[in-house]
Amino acid sequence: MNAVPKHERRWASDTVPGKVTVSTETSPGAESYSTAEEFVEVTLDLQDDDTIVLRSVEPASVVDIADDALAGSSGYNTPASVPSTPSIRRTSSRGFRHFSQELKAEAVAKARHFSQELKAELRRFSWSHGNTSRAHSTSSTGGGGGGAGAGFETALAARALRKQRAQLDRTRAGAVKALRGLRFISKKSNGVDAWNEVRSNFDKLSKDGYLYRADFAQCIGMRDSAEFALELFDSLSRKRRMRIDKINRDELFEFWSQITDQSFDSRLQIFFDMVDKNEDGRIIEEEVKEIIMLSASANKLSRLKEQAEEYAALIMEELDPERLGYIELWQLETLLLQKDTYLNYSQALSYTSQALSQNLQGLRMKSPIRRMSFRLLYYLQENWKRLLVLTLWVGIMIGLFAWKFIQYRNKDVFQIMGYCLLTAKGAAETLKFNMALILFPVCRNTITKLRSTKLSYIVPFDDNINFHKTIAAAIVIGIILHVGDHLACDFPRLVHSSELVYERYLKGVFGDHRPSYIDLVKGVEGVTGILMMILMAIAFTLATKWLRRNIIKLPKPFSRLTGFNAFWYSHHLFIIVYILLVVHGVKLYLVHKWYLQTTWMYLAVPVLLYVAERTLRFFRSGFYTVHLIKVAIYPGNVLTLQMSKPPQFRYKSGQYMFVQCPAVSPFEWHPFSITSAPDDDYLSVHIRQLGDWTRELKRVFSEACELPVAGRSGLLRADETTKKSLPKLKIDGPYGAPAQDYRKYDVLLLVGLGIGATPFISILKDLLNNIIKMEEQADSTSDMSRGSDLSIGSTDSPSLNKIAPRRKKTLKTTNAYFYWVTREQGSFDWFKGVMNEVAELDQRGVIEMHNYLTSVYEEGDARSALITMVQALNHAKNGLDIVSGTRVRTHFARPNWKKVFSKMCSKHCNGRIGVFYCGAPVLAKELSKLCFEFNEKGPTKFDFHKEHF
């Protein structure tokens, strides 16, 4: 190396717009080396500022320098995290050649030095393992023993060469990128604040100034992964050459400093020490198996523990191709740094400059007036249907109130009861209207039919339940005004009016004797009004979400007043309410002519429609006879029912149906999304245990199920061959849901949270069936065209056009992105078959699936680092995801929804994307907000649809 001339070099930027690869060779007069030592490949980056950046030096075969310079212009992309390397000013082609020759000489010298070090290391290793070599020589022939020794040295040489290349690869990849991995403490934790919390925990948990090993996990914030924390404690202790069960505060601070060290090498060494329990600097397969089991336990992946031995062998096969039986620190580092190479099977969408400009457009400063006007326009665009319906509804109520107000303002009774009566009568008119209107949103069959008409363009049928609740709120306001004015205002005014005024204005209404307050209250109109108010108060109270969803826990026996059953049965009190309402409207104090009593006129059509709906449901549930084909109970308390499909039962993907099990309750009907596709010859639903009815349903079917056959998913299973008789089922439907409108969009973003994935499984199946049909149609069309070519000129086939297949409507959806977020690994068993079918049959790439498991620590956490490596490696080798058991990659932690939307914008700029969500309301708010934000930024528009369970 001393003979190599020195050059003055300046540092260049890491951002490279262009690059060239130059392969050089030694001159003919150079010293004789092996081919691997004589020829090296030098990679250079050519900068815009006329500088050349040295990127790598690797052994290479003899390549012509001119040809290689031309061929190497495509190079590989260098990450921005690569540290700067020396560069020189490019002045002329002669200077470039001179520098290339000098660089070649330096590279050859480095290769010679490396070769000498390698040979010395091999001699030392052979000397230290002389006994092993002699044992081999004794048990074999002289030539065989020499061959074994040479093979062993060859394996060591191959590993040493891989180590040298790995060091060059790490230089090229950069340690900054590696720092994203192997975090023992959450990246959200601030260093000072985190230590203060740890110190506070030490003060609480320490005994006599010492923190015991059993409390270490809780002290550093790893209570949920105590086993992992204990192994971490032991490895840090071994590093100090101690085996201790307790530490003081200073030692805890030393441990904490090592855990939170920002150096990737330091954290990698700690992780390696956790695996290398015998401290020999090598990891064998059994130690890899133990750390896999430990990581699986920390991340609640019970199935991964069962396959730890298989995955340990997979890692050894990848990292120990020489079959030396152990791996070293640098090999573990290589697997960490090359993880992204294995994850290419599920890369995210790429950004484009158009998307970047779109995002920057949203960051440009706008005046407050312009910003407010834009938000107003967007709000009107997104909510104009709701605003139209609400405006029409409010306008009708105002008109009815004003009509009654003016009508009674011109009557004699106004002279005594005043404006109190006018307000009460105006509110009563709106009550009649709303008591009639409130039945329409719950006429599910009618709404399902209307969804398919042009009326859906101006009426938001997805908001039918919200509109139902809004009308109920208006009814409450109307009751307060009507009852309050009667009881507190106009009744007292009537009772306290003078005899002269009474005889003049109201004698013809109430008779000769002026009624008392009690007479007014205990009359038919008063009693029916009070009874209606009490029954409606009960129904409204039990319908609130706090009681309906058991948010409020009441002591026994009042606990029966909460839950869905209490809500459902109390709502049937409205049958009595409507009867009382009709009686109340007939027995009015001030109106006696039947054609002026308008209550029955308001209620006639809605009540008849609702009664017809319930009657249809009653007879249809008996008409739709189904028998169960298969039952399976999966992890996560999910019951799958697959049943025969009645011939008359036609539905769309995304719709739902009601299910009743007489063995559980002969009166209760519960809605569930249909998970089968419309073209399937069966119906299926997936039911998760969430309440009393679903819990009892699972119990009933569990008794009829048998243990699964080996190799089949599901804990319990039953089908037509099961000896035990399965419970009977009744179904009613189908009914419309927001997800059924997916065909309106070219691009879909489907987001399911837990069991909320059910409506989208049907959509994915339908899309897949359409894809298959289109491919079959394309194949048949091509076959037909070939047949027609063969028959050209023939007079024997005049009816060729008659047998040509009719062209079907092409699939509108060009892309569908499905994001499924769940907490339990067993959840992926629910739809494993669908995911595998999509991965296998969707050759056009229409459907892109992303599974997210939130129970696993986020990528980069040391507790999930090995799982991430095994996952990537197994998919690259075998094509299967270790978590879901499918070909779809499972991501860890929660999705970065903002990044998801950004990448959707980049790929589908100027498009209109339908965002469909089913799950808990919390995520719905976040997705809705993101839709609003990205609609503000650029031309890509997101239409948000949601449904809750």
Side-chain angles (χ1 to χ4, degrees):
M1 293 294 294
N2 295 334
V4 179
K6 304 290 183 181
H7 298 278
E8 280 188 316
R9 298 182 180 131
R10 66 183 180 86
W11 298 99
S13 170
D14 293 323
T15 306
V16 289
K19 40 196 159 301
V20 61
T21 302
V22 182
S23 297
T24 64
E25 64 182 57
T26 57
S27 61
E31 294 184 28
S32 176
Y33 302 101
S34 65
T35 304
E37 295 175 320
E38 288 185 17
F39 304 100
V40 295
E41 179 178 307
V42 181
T43 303
L44 305 174
D45 289 335
L46 305 182
Q47 306 277 334
D48 284 341
D49 57 348
D50 292 333
T51 61
I52 303 173
V53 180
L54 173 63
R55 286 300 174 196
S56 68
V57 180
E58 296 180 350
S61 57
V62 182
V63 183
D64 183 71
I65 189 169
D67 294 340
D68 191 58
L70 293 173
S73 61
S74 59
Y76 61 85
N77 293 328
T78 304
S81 59
V82 176
S84 301
T85 54
S87 61
I88 63 172
R89 175 70 61 176
R90 180 175 58 179
T91 55
S92 65
S93 60
R94 179 180 300 175
F96 176 77
R97 259 195 316 273
H98 178 66
F99 168 70
S100 175
Q101 294 172 357
E102 293 176 341
L103 193 61
K104 171 186 65 179
E106 182 178 352
V108 170
K110 286 183 177 180
R112 183 195 312 169
H113 179 68
F114 168 68
S115 176
Q116 292 171 352
E117 289 183 345
L118 176 61
K119 290 177 180 178
E121 181 67 23
L122 288 174
R123 282 194 297 271
R124 286 196 298 270
F125 187 85
S126 300
W127 180 264
S128 62
H129 290 73
N131 293 334
T132 305
S133 299
R134 282 192 294 274
H136 283 288
S137 299
T138 303
S139 61
S140 60
T141 63
F152 190 71
E153 290 188 2
T154 303
L156 287 173
R159 174 169 290 194
L161 184 60
R162 283 202 307 121
K163 181 177 180 180
Q164 181 72 7
R165 289 178 175 175
Q167 291 174 347
L168 291 173
D169 287 340
R170 182 180 176 182
T171 302
R172 190 157 58 235
V176 175
K177 180 180 178 181
L179 282 174
R180 294 200 298 263
L182 283 182
R183 289 187 307 272
F184 291 95
I185 303 299
S186 174
K187 62 183 179 180
K188 299 178 182 178
S189 301
N190 179 274
V192 178
D193 294 338
W195 166 246
N196 289 336
E197 184 178 352
V198 171
R199 185 172 58 181
S200 175
N201 292 337
F202 176 86
D203 295 336
K204 296 176 183 178
L205 300 171
S206 61
K207 299 174 183 177
D208 300 327
Y210 287 93
L211 178 73
Y212 284 83
R213 177 177 177 271
D215 298 325
F216 181 71
Q218 184 177 354
C219 184
I220 66 172
M222 287 190 179
R223 181 185 301 178
D224 295 336
S225 49
E227 294 181 17
F228 189 91
L230 292 179
E231 289 293 340
L232 180 61
F233 181 93
D234 293 340
S235 67
L236 294 173
S237 300
R238 289 194 299 267
K239 194 173 184 180
R240 300 184 63 190
R241 304 300 178 189
M242 298 186 305
R243 292 191 179 277
I244 54 178
D245 290 331
K246 58 183 180 179
I247 55 176
N248 57 33
R249 180 183 291 180
D250 294 336
E251 291 170 332
L252 175 64
F253 180 75
E254 184 179 343
F255 281 15
W256 179 258
S257 300
Q258 295 178 46
I259 294 173
T260 57
D261 195 333
Q262 292 300 308
S263 169
F264 174 72
D265 292 325
S266 175
R267 291 185 289 190
L268 179 64
Q269 185 65 57
I270 294 175
F271 188 78
F272 186 86
D273 292 340
M274 289 179 64
V275 187
D276 181 25
K277 295 183 179 181
N278 58 3
E279 304 179 76
D280 62 350
R282 300 173 181 175
I283 300 177
I284 62 175
E285 185 171 334
E286 184 64 26
E287 290 174 325
V288 175
K289 175 184 173 183
E290 291 179 6
I291 196 65
I292 289 177
M293 294 181 67
L294 185 65
S295 299
S297 177
N299 291 277
K300 302 179 180 63
L301 299 175
S302 57
R303 296 183 184 178
L304 190 60
K305 294 174 66 176
E306 300 171 0
Q307 299 174 293
E309 184 174 353
E310 174 187 346
Y311 296 137
L314 183 66
I315 289 181
M316 295 300 294
E317 179 185 349
E318 176 68 16
L319 298 184
D320 182 29
E322 302 85 10
R323 299 184 182 277
L324 295 177
Y326 64 89
I327 59 176
E328 299 172 285
L329 178 67
W330 67 269
Q331 291 163 295
L332 187 64
E333 176 189 15
T334 301
L335 185 59
L336 276 170
L337 295 180
Q338 293 182 352
K339 169 174 56 63
D340 291 341
T341 303
Y342 297 110
L343 294 180
N344 285 334
Y345 64 91
S346 183
Q347 291 295 327
L349 307 176
S350 60
Y351 282 97
T352 62
S353 57
Q354 192 172 17
L356 182 61
S357 64
Q358 172 175 332
N359 292 335
L360 291 176
Q361 179 182 353
L363 299 176
R364 294 169 185 158
M365 296 299 296
K366 298 179 181 179
S367 64
I369 297 177
R370 185 180 178 185
R371 191 160 52 243
M372 290 295 294
S373 63
F374 186 87
R375 290 184 177 181
L376 178 61
L377 289 175
Y378 170 71
Y379 179 82
L380 293 175
Q381 179 184 355
E382 293 298 311
N383 298 280
W384 69 270
K385 292 182 182 180
R386 300 182 183 93
L387 294 175
L388 176 64
V389 173
L390 289 176
T391 301
L392 181 63
W393 173 58
V394 172
I396 292 174
M397 287 195 297
I398 292 174
L400 293 174
F401 188 93
W403 171 49
K404 280 297 175 181
F405 190 93
I406 296 172
Q407 183 183 33
Y408 276 87
R409 176 66 178 81
N410 297 324
K411 291 188 175 183
D412 293 340
V413 71
F414 170 71
Q415 304 301 327
I416 296 179
M417 296 185 174
Y419 287 99
C420 297
L421 177 66
L422 274 57
T423 305
K425 288 299 182 180
E429 204 67 18
T430 62
L431 279 172
K432 299 175 192 176
F433 171 68
N434 285 327
M435 287 294 292
L437 186 63
I438 200 171
L439 294 175
F440 279 109
V442 292
C443 292
R444 293 187 177 90
N445 289 290
T446 303
I447 290 178
T448 302
K449 294 293 184 182
L450 292 176
R451 278 177 176 273
S452 303
T453 66
K454 294 184 178 180
L455 195 61
S456 61
Y457 290 105
I458 60 174
V459 178
F461 290 112
D462 292 344
D463 292 328
N464 61 318
I465 299 301
N466 290 331
F467 189 46
H468 179 79
K469 296 176 182 178
T470 304
I471 297 172
I475 289 175
V476 171
I477 296 173
I479 290 173
I480 293 174
L481 288 176
H482 181 72
V483 177
D485 280 328
H486 274 324
L487 297 180
C489 188
D490 55 35
F491 281 6
R493 287 174 66 97
L494 172 61
V495 172
H496 293 94
S497 63
S498 63
E499 289 291 342
L500 182 61
V501 174
Y502 174 78
E503 291 181 0
R504 180 178 179 183
Y505 295 107
L506 290 178
K507 184 178 180 180
V509 176
F510 291 99
D512 296 335
H513 299 285
R514 182 178 56 191
S516 64
Y517 192 87
I518 297 299
D519 293 334
L520 293 173
V521 172
K522 71 179 184 180
V524 176
E525 187 178 13
V527 171
T528 54
I530 293 174
L531 287 176
M532 281 191 296
M533 184 175 64
I534 295 173
L535 295 176
M536 293 170 75
I538 295 173
F540 286 164
T541 302
L542 297 181
T544 57
K545 66 177 182 179
W546 298 282
L547 295 176
R548 187 178 77 253
R549 297 183 178 178
N550 282 315
I551 298 176
I552 298 178
K553 303 296 182 182
L554 298 179
K556 292 183 178 180
F558 300 103
S559 59
R560 292 182 174 271
L561 297 177
T562 61
F564 181 83
N565 288 341
F567 153 75
W568 177 248
Y569 291 123
S570 66
H571 251 55
H572 286 77
L573 293 174
F574 276 93
I575 299 175
I576 303 175
V577 170
Y578 277 99
I579 296 174
L580 293 174
L581 182 59
V582 173
V583 175
H584 184 82
V586 173
K587 298 293 184 178
L588 294 175
Y589 288 131
L590 302 178
V591 180
H592 301 289
K593 296 179 180 180
W594 69 271
Y595 55 87
L596 297 178
Q597 297 168 348
T598 57
T599 303
W600 65 272
M601 300 179 185
Y602 280 101
L603 299 179
V605 175
V607 169
L608 288 175
L609 179 62
Y610 184 75
V611 170
E613 286 256 346
R614 296 300 294 266
T615 305
L616 175 63
R617 289 183 58 180
F618 176 78
F619 286 104
R620 187 170 58 185
S621 61
F623 183 71
Y624 284 160
T625 56
V626 298
H627 66 274
L628 288 170
I629 301 173
K630 185 174 67 175
V631 177
I633 300 178
Y634 290 102
N637 291 320
V638 170
L639 171 67
T640 301
L641 302 176
Q642 191 177 110
M643 63 201 79
S644 61
K645 179 181 176 182
Q648 301 82 7
F649 194 94
R650 297 181 180 87
Y651 64 97
K652 300 178 182 177
S653 291
Q655 293 184 332
Y656 66 95
M657 68 180 182
F658 279 85
V659 176
Q660 184 203 64
C661 181
V664 177
S665 174
F667 302 108
E668 293 186 46
W669 291 83
H670 293 267
F672 298 101
S673 297
I674 305 173
T675 53
S676 54
D679 292 337
D680 292 338
D681 57 357
Y682 62 89
L683 291 174
S684 65
V685 291
H686 287 67
I687 303 172
R688 185 161 194 175
Q689 178 182 313
L690 294 174
D692 297 338
W693 188 85
T694 52
R695 186 182 302 111
E696 184 65 15
L697 184 72
K698 179 196 169 188
R699 187 195 64 79
V700 168
F701 278 98
S702 298
E703 295 176 352
C705 290
E706 297 178 348
L707 293 176
V709 180
R712 301 179 70 183
S713 61
L715 296 177
L716 298 172
R717 185 177 291 270
D719 53 31
E720 294 173 313
T721 62
T722 305
K723 296 180 180 179
K724 298 179 181 179
S725 60
L726 295 173
K728 302 299 181 182
L729 279 184
K730 294 182 179 181
I731 64 171
D732 176 48
Y735 295 106
Q740 75 177 62
D741 296 329
Y742 73 95
R743 287 181 174 271
K744 297 180 180 178
Y745 300 94
D746 296 333
V747 181
L748 303 176
L749 176 58
L750 312 174
V751 181
L753 198 61
I755 198 65
T758 49
F760 307 130
I761 294 300
S762 178
I763 293 176
L764 294 179
K765 284 184 177 181
D766 189 38
L767 291 175
L768 189 61
N769 290 340
N770 278 278
I771 293 171
I772 296 173
K773 286 181 179 179
M774 291 176 63
E775 292 176 351
E776 292 176 351
Q777 181 181 355
D779 293 342
S780 63
T781 303
S782 61
D783 293 342
M784 188 65 66
S785 63
R786 285 195 296 268
S788 61
D789 292 339
L790 294 176
S791 59
I792 291 177
S794 174
T795 58
D796 297 333
S797 54
S799 60
L800 182 63
N801 293 331
K802 295 182 182 180
I803 62 173
R806 186 177 60 182
R807 182 179 298 273
K808 295 183 180 180
K809 187 178 180 180
T810 59
L811 181 66
K812 182 178 182 181
T813 302
T814 58
N815 292 94
Y817 304 92
F818 176 53
Y819 285 78
W820 185 17
V821 185
T822 184
R823 292 179 298 182
E824 301 170 357
Q825 181 187 8
S827 302
F828 297 119
D829 285 348
W830 306 345
F831 310 115
K832 180 183 291 186
V834 178
M835 290 188 284
N836 283 329
E837 286 181 10
V838 170
E840 180 180 354
L841 300 177
D842 182 20
Q843 302 297 329
R844 298 170 55 201
V846 173
I847 302 171
E848 185 175 304
M849 304 184 71
H850 298 269
N851 296 335
Y852 281 83
L853 186 62
T854 58
S855 65
V856 179
Y857 292 96
E858 62 183 344
E859 186 174 331
D861 194 295
R863 287 164 287 190
S864 63
L866 199 63
I867 295 176
T868 305
M869 290 186 282
V870 172
Q871 180 200 40
L873 193 58
N874 188 70
H875 201 288
K877 296 285 185 181
N878 304 320
L880 288 178
D881 183 79
I882 64 172
V883 177
S884 65
T886 68
R887 296 172 61 183
V888 180
R889 178 191 173 187
T890 300
H891 307 264
F892 299 147
R894 290 175 173 79
N896 185 334
W897 293 114
K898 192 168 187 179
K899 186 177 294 186
V900 171
F901 275 76
S902 296
K903 293 173 181 178
M904 293 281 289
C905 288
S906 69
K907 192 169 184 179
H908 305 286
C909 192
N910 296 310
R912 196 163 194 90
I913 301 173
V915 182
F916 295 87
Y917 170 74
C918 183
V922 178
L923 184 55
K925 295 180 181 178
E926 180 181 353
L927 295 177
S928 178
K929 183 179 180 182
L930 285 172
C931 287
F932 172 77
E933 291 177 357
F934 280 90
N935 284 336
E936 262 193 327
K937 287 182 180 180
T940 305
K941 300 301 179 184
F942 295 88
D943 291 342
F944 184 62
H945 308 266
K946 65 179 179 180
E947 56 181 304
H948 302 316
F949 52 80

